[in-house]
Amino acid sequence: MAPIKLAIIGGGPSSFYVASRLLSLLPASNPYHSSLKIHMYDRLWAPHGLVRYGVAPDHPEVKNCTHKFNEAASDPRLSFFGNVNVSSSPSVSPIPHAVPLSLSSLFPHYTHLLLSSGCTIPNYHPALPPSSHCIPALSMVHWYTQHPAVAHKPPPPLEKIEHVSLIGQGNVSLDVARMLLTPPSTLEKYDVPESVLEVLRRSAVQHVSIIGRRGPLEAAFTTKELREMMNLEDSYMVPVDPCLMVPNAGEKLTRQQSRTLQLLQKGSKNKPGSTPKSWSLEFFKSPTGLAVPSSELESSSSSRPLTLSLANNTLNEARKAIPTGETSTLDTSFVVTSLGHHADPSTPWFEPALGHVRTVGGRVVNEHGQTVKNVYSSGWASMGARGVLASTMMDAYAVADTILADSFPGEFRKEEDDADTKVAESEQRDNVAQGVLPSEVDWESLPEEVVKARKGGLVTDYQNWRLIDAEEIRRGEVKGKERERMSWEEAKVFLDVAKRT
Ligand code: NAP
């Protein structure tokens, strides 16, 4: 059987779960143990993607998965190449210091490819283009996790913002709301960079309105996250209109819907009016525009200088939001849109209509519907930005199983899928396009650009990361917190010194 030399694009949870599964299914006792080599590329210098640069700091338990990732990375068959931007247009990168590497330079060195670069582009609302008054939630998340893409950008001007309008009612929206309303003294013990805490300490935010186009039964957030909002120590929830919490006669609610209604009916731990800060859920409203004051003078005379126009909605039979014709306005100081994400359109085999890579059962499919031999995709790059870490893991394991079943058919069989998936997959297996990857490669070779950048100290490996990780935790301990993060510049200096000593 031909060996697998796999390049993984992306170093987030899905990539690590695929790698971990492949490595563990080919243990030392397996005859194909040495027939596997994995090179994981990420444009970020630190591994773990959304686990480092997405998970809300007050959810540290979610980051426990990194133990498994460390274990996978300790296997010599897996190598991590950080700060390398692999793309069909690598010079266009949000990370200025990332080493550009074109896909065509990568292909000759690998027999297999896994696209696992996630969904990194926020969805925008046509009525709310990004501006100095309106930013995507991703920018807020990048700010409070100090993502390299925002390294030299100014923080959100929270000292001037009294009221925030969050558009969208998913978990990212609630993450942002919690970060804005949780007292900085509570956040201090978590992995929140000192520069972020400083801005939060100066914050003037008093109220966050979380606006959804549909109702409580359709809200995308989960009950655990809603409960956390209800228990915020310094804020109360403005009660939801009871009329909005009555299901249609005979309607059977899911467990999630029943719990959401129970929580909303019970209300927040703090009674309305009992705390200085507050938040509200505004249901059945879609933004239609944002009026901005025409002069500095006008804007400085009000703490809520912006006017958000909203259209009232009802639901049609398919539970889609449709306008009733009624409208309202909301005075606000800042708008954050949190409407989900899609994959970068420059990702190969990206399908614009889907917002992610075209796949069937983890195998990448070209525009003619043919399977691209030995090219796979997993995680949000393959299925869109949905699901939690556990679902990402299940998807990744299934993709790893597919890779092994395709490569070593006599040795590995995939878990039985449902009948429809089996039919789709078997049709796909017989419809294979001309391959883009060679079937035989130099086992040790690397793209020239990577070899050169590595010599220049521009590419991080997992050993580098373990050193940084330990140092960030040590710096955090000194301050009584989970960790104090390093920027790329700090990490480079630290690694240079570590190399010399
Ligand atoms: P999401 O769950 O898809 O939520 C997106 C929100 O935007 C929904 O309320 C959606 O409303 C709304 N929306 C989309 N297009 C809109 C439009 N044109 N106008 C008005 N509203 C619109 O996305 P997310 O919050 O980015 O989260 C992504 C995934 O990560 C989810 O699976 C989430 O659970 C997960 N996540 C989990 C955690 C956690 O476990 N703590 C934290 C963060 C993220 P409709 O429902 O009407 O479309």
Side-chain angles (χ1 to χ4, degrees):
M1 285 298 154
I4 300 174
K5 187 178 174 199
L6 170 69
I8 301 185
I9 317 289
S14 170
S15 309
F16 274 96
Y17 280 129
V18 170
S20 160
R21 175 82 162 184
L22 289 173
L23 295 166
S24 65
L25 287 176
L26 294 173
S29 57
N30 188 289
Y32 299 114
H33 174 78
S34 318
S35 302
L36 174 68
K37 189 188 273 282
I38 304 172
H39 286 176
M40 191 184 283
Y41 291 90
D42 200 310
R43 65 187 186 186
L44 300 176
W45 63 269
H48 308 158
L50 277 182
V51 172
R52 178 169 166 95
Y53 294 113
V55 169
D58 59 342
H59 286 170
E61 69 288 348
V62 177
K63 299 178 188 173
N64 287 341
C65 57
T66 56
H67 299 308
K68 192 175 188 68
F69 304 162
N70 289 343
E71 194 187 310
S74 69
D75 189 310
R77 294 172 294 172
L78 171 62
S79 307
F80 176 74
F81 298 86
N83 200 43
V84 181
N85 181 37
V86 186
S87 166
S88 44
S89 45
S91 53
V92 189
S93 168
I95 322 286
H97 50 74
V99 175
L101 180 67
S102 68
L103 276 163
S104 52
S105 308
L106 190 81
F107 285 167
H109 302 274
Y110 296 95
T111 60
H112 291 67
L113 177 68
L114 174 73
L115 303 169
S116 193
S117 45
C119 281
T120 54
I121 312 287
N123 296 334
Y124 292 115
H125 195 284
L128 296 172
S131 69
S132 56
H133 311 282
C134 174
I135 63 169
L138 189 67
S139 300
M140 289 292 284
V141 174
H142 280 177
W143 164 64
Y144 64 66
T145 58
Q146 292 291 281
H147 188 282
V150 300
H152 302 291
K153 293 196 179 145
L158 296 186
E159 71 285 359
K160 294 189 213 147
I161 294 170
E162 195 233 298
H163 179 274
V164 176
S165 296
L166 261 167
I167 315 293
Q169 293 181 329
N171 280 333
V172 169
S173 205
L174 297 200
D175 281 352
V176 170
R178 271 196 335 278
M179 285 302 287
L180 291 171
L181 294 170
T182 302
S185 55
T186 301
L187 293 174
E188 275 167 7
K189 64 174 180 285
Y190 297 118
D191 175 12
V192 185
E194 207 48 44
S195 60
V196 172
L197 285 170
E198 272 169 33
V199 174
L200 289 171
R201 287 187 194 110
R202 293 198 303 270
S203 168
V205 173
Q206 294 294 304
H207 186 90
V208 178
S209 297
I210 306 167
I211 300 162
R213 62 180 165 182
R214 300 191 288 160
L217 297 181
E218 293 77 30
F221 51 67
T222 41
T223 38
K224 174 181 172 283
E225 281 64 29
L226 180 59
R227 194 173 297 109
E228 285 172 340
M229 289 296 293
M230 296 296 185
N231 291 332
L232 282 173
E233 57 197 281
D234 235 6
S235 309
Y236 67 87
M237 181 188 78
V238 175
V240 175
D241 181 348
C243 304
L244 300 182
M245 294 188 283
V246 184
N248 294 329
E251 190 174 356
K252 195 160 169 8
L253 301 185
T254 63
R255 201 176 149 88
Q256 149 96 5
Q257 287 172 324
S258 307
R259 285 192 176 170
T260 299
L261 285 194
Q262 280 163 13
L263 282 168
L264 293 177
Q265 278 153 358
K266 192 168 164 215
S268 55
K269 185 182 83 179
N270 293 318
K271 293 296 148 230
S274 65
T275 57
K277 294 183 189 172
S278 54
W279 58 282
S280 54
L281 286 163
E282 318 283 345
F283 292 110
F284 297 111
K285 289 182 194 301
S286 287
T288 52
L290 184 68
V292 175
S294 52
S295 69
E296 276 288 315
L297 195 66
E298 216 183 311
S299 108
S300 61
S301 61
S302 163
S303 59
R304 297 185 185 191
L306 313 175
T307 306
L308 181 65
S309 303
L310 297 161
N312 288 4
N313 296 326
T314 184
L315 296 185
N316 66 10
E317 276 188 8
R319 299 194 96 100
K320 280 186 80 163
I322 47 166
T324 60
E326 287 166 38
T327 59
S328 59
T329 58
L330 179 67
D331 291 340
T332 188
S333 335
F334 199 61
V335 179
V336 178
T337 54
S338 185
L339 310 169
H341 301 83
H342 58 271
D344 188 330
S346 71
T347 313
W349 298 285
F350 173 82
E351 171 55 59
L354 297 172
H356 54 81
V357 174
R358 231 176 285 113
T359 56
V360 173
R363 298 181 186 92
V364 168
V365 170
N366 69 13
E367 68 275 28
H368 308 296
Q370 299 167 301
T371 300
V372 187
K373 193 162 186 268
N374 292 346
V375 179
Y376 302 84
S377 181
S378 69
W380 284 8
S382 147
M383 59 188 180
R386 61 194 151 87
V388 291
L389 214 50
S391 42
T392 295
M393 184 182 78
M394 296 312 288
D395 164 75
Y397 283 3
V399 174
D401 292 354
T402 301
I403 295 174
L404 288 183
D406 286 354
S407 304
F408 308 118
E411 191 80 2
F412 290 97
R413 286 240 309 274
K414 257 193 79 182
E415 293 261 313
E416 291 296 292
D417 285 318
D418 64 67
D420 286 350
T421 315
K422 266 203 291 199
V423 170
E425 287 201 14
S426 85
E427 281 170 3
Q428 231 26 84
R429 254 196 308 273
D430 302 335
N431 186 14
V432 180
Q434 190 75 24
V436 293
L437 298 166
S439 50
E440 277 179 43
V441 293
D442 177 342
W443 198 239
E444 301 302 330
S445 74
L446 276 175
E448 218 175 280
E449 297 88 328
V450 176
V451 175
K452 209 168 130 207
R454 236 180 169 189
K455 282 194 190 130
L458 291 174
V459 179
T460 49
D461 60 25
Y462 213 82
Q463 284 74 22
N464 295 153
W465 163 247
R466 293 308 298 267
L467 288 176
I468 302 270
D469 187 30
E471 176 63 9
E472 286 189 348
I473 291 170
R474 191 197 65 76
R475 291 183 186 187
E477 266 167 13
V478 174
K479 297 178 180 170
K481 64 197 287 196
E482 193 184 318
R483 75 170 62 227
E484 190 60 56
R485 289 179 176 225
M486 286 193 220
S487 65
W488 165 242
E489 287 76 16
E490 287 169 302
K492 250 172 65 104
V493 171
F494 174 79
L495 290 174
D496 280 347
V497 173
K499 219 183 286 168
R500 276 188 262 118
T501 51

